[in-house]
Amino acid sequence: MRAKNYLLLMALIVISCNQGMSQKVKPANLELETYTEWVTKYEETEYYELSILNYLGENNSVTIQMYYSAEGNEDLSTINLIDKDGEFLITHYEPITVHPMAMKYTKVVVGDIDGNGLKDIRMEFLYMGNGLMACAVRTIYIFQEKYKTFNKISFDSFVCRDHVSEIDVDGDGNWEIIARTLEYIDENNYYWIDNIYKYTPEGLVCVSEENGYPKAINTHEAKTIDAKIVNKNKKGWIKEQPDGYLFFK
């Protein structure tokens, strides 16, 4: 009888361990909806709107408004998030210049990025540069918290060469954010450098070193990565916060 009880106990321990291990399996995919159809409107000035269906729940959509400029400040633009009843949920400002050409290419993706069961927003606003700078974007995240409260995080990045914006490195359902910089070594070596950050309600926390980042990609597609250059510069490429980082609660 004792032997049976012992075997049963061991079986329960094995099952418990396996369940614990299964909880660390990475989610298959981050489900995202993409919106690109901005509508141009006019009031005292030109502005742009985009509606996100069912953002606050079924039949509860919101509208993003983008104005240039913010309270007469030509270095900033205004972002409003408005619910279906016309209530302003957030008003924030960004160091970008909203204009028709940029809005044509501004993409909005929606999904539960931080794993709290509520939909979040990522916007990628192109700076419209030339050469390698044609990949430069202002990345803006609006994280939805409880009771219709929101946190906004934004920074400068680059979207190019199969860049992935989020990855769940530890399988906890809170997808880490990847920010990309451009690093110059010499006239023959430019690198895209990816750092990785964990989102928290208090802002981004760099988790590059413990997850094998930063990662480097030669900007020239035909060139391989020089391991000596990467090893020499890797620690110096770690950024505690992305370039141009802003955080608002």
Side-chain angles (χ1 to χ4, degrees):
M1 194 71 175
R2 287 182 180 176
K4 287 183 179 179
N5 290 339
Y6 174 77
L7 290 173
L8 178 60
L9 178 61
M10 291 302 295
L12 290 173
I13 291 172
V14 169
I15 291 170
S16 176
C17 289
N18 287 337
Q19 287 177 339
M21 290 174 64
S22 67
Q23 291 174 359
K24 294 183 179 297
V25 174
K26 294 181 182 179
N29 285 298
L30 175 59
E31 295 183 3
L32 295 171
E33 301 169 333
T34 301
Y35 295 81
T36 57
E37 297 180 0
W38 292 91
V39 176
T40 304
K41 299 207 169 185
Y42 298 89
E43 208 168 78
E44 294 180 1
T45 184
E46 185 175 81
Y47 65 99
Y48 306 88
E49 287 190 348
L50 183 147
S51 293
I52 301 174
L53 301 176
N54 303 319
Y55 179 72
L56 297 172
E58 190 173 355
N59 299 320
N60 203 346
S61 302
V62 297
T63 298
I64 300 175
Q65 272 185 0
M66 294 190 69
Y67 282 85
Y68 174 73
S69 55
E71 299 178 349
N73 187 333
E74 295 185 358
D75 294 325
L76 298 173
S77 289
T78 304
I79 299 176
N80 294 319
L81 189 64
I82 307 168
D83 70 11
K84 67 177 184 178
D85 297 321
E87 178 186 352
F88 281 69
L89 303 174
I90 64 168
T91 295
H92 284 307
Y93 309 107
E94 281 294 322
I96 54 178
T97 304
V98 172
H99 55 83
M101 184 60 70
M103 296 309 300
K104 181 179 178 181
Y105 297 102
T106 296
K107 180 173 68 173
V108 176
V109 297
V110 179
D112 184 12
I113 297 169
D114 63 353
N116 68 351
L118 302 171
K119 290 184 178 180
D120 307 305
I121 295 170
R122 169 170 39 91
M123 300 173 58
E124 292 169 353
F125 183 92
L126 270 68
Y127 280 125
M128 310 299 291
N130 296 313
L132 293 175
M133 296 306 294
C135 299
V137 299
R138 183 72 180 172
T139 300
I140 302 163
Y141 283 91
I142 299 174
F143 287 97
Q144 186 180 174
E145 305 291 338
K146 293 180 180 179
Y147 314 117
K148 287 189 179 181
T149 60
F150 304 85
N151 293 339
K152 183 180 73 68
I153 286 171
S154 60
F155 52 85
D156 293 330
S157 188
F158 293 85
V159 176
C160 48
R161 295 284 300 277
D162 300 323
H163 173 68
V164 175
S165 297
E166 297 93 17
I167 182 171
D168 188 4
V169 292
D170 52 13
D172 66 351
N174 181 349
W175 290 69
E176 283 74 35
I177 291 170
I178 297 175
R180 174 168 286 184
T181 55
L182 176 62
E183 299 292 341
Y184 168 82
I185 304 300
D186 56 46
E187 62 183 11
N188 295 312
N189 287 288
Y190 288 83
Y191 282 88
W192 302 119
I193 306 300
D194 290 346
N195 274 280
I196 189 168
Y197 301 87
K198 174 75 74 175
Y199 167 74
T200 77
E202 302 304 320
L204 294 184
V205 177
C206 183
V207 291
S208 288
E209 200 163 9
E210 54 265 48
N211 290 289
Y213 284 74
K215 293 187 176 179
I217 306 171
N218 200 304
T219 61
H220 196 298
E221 294 191 27
K223 290 185 177 181
T224 58
I225 297 170
D226 188 321
K228 289 183 178 179
I229 289 176
V230 173
N231 289 335
K232 180 181 177 181
N233 293 279
K234 194 166 185 175
K235 277 198 173 292
W237 285 337
I238 293 176
K239 289 181 174 287
E240 290 305 313
Q241 299 293 356
D243 288 347
Y245 173 73
L246 293 174
F247 171 59
F248 293 99
K249 297 191 73 168

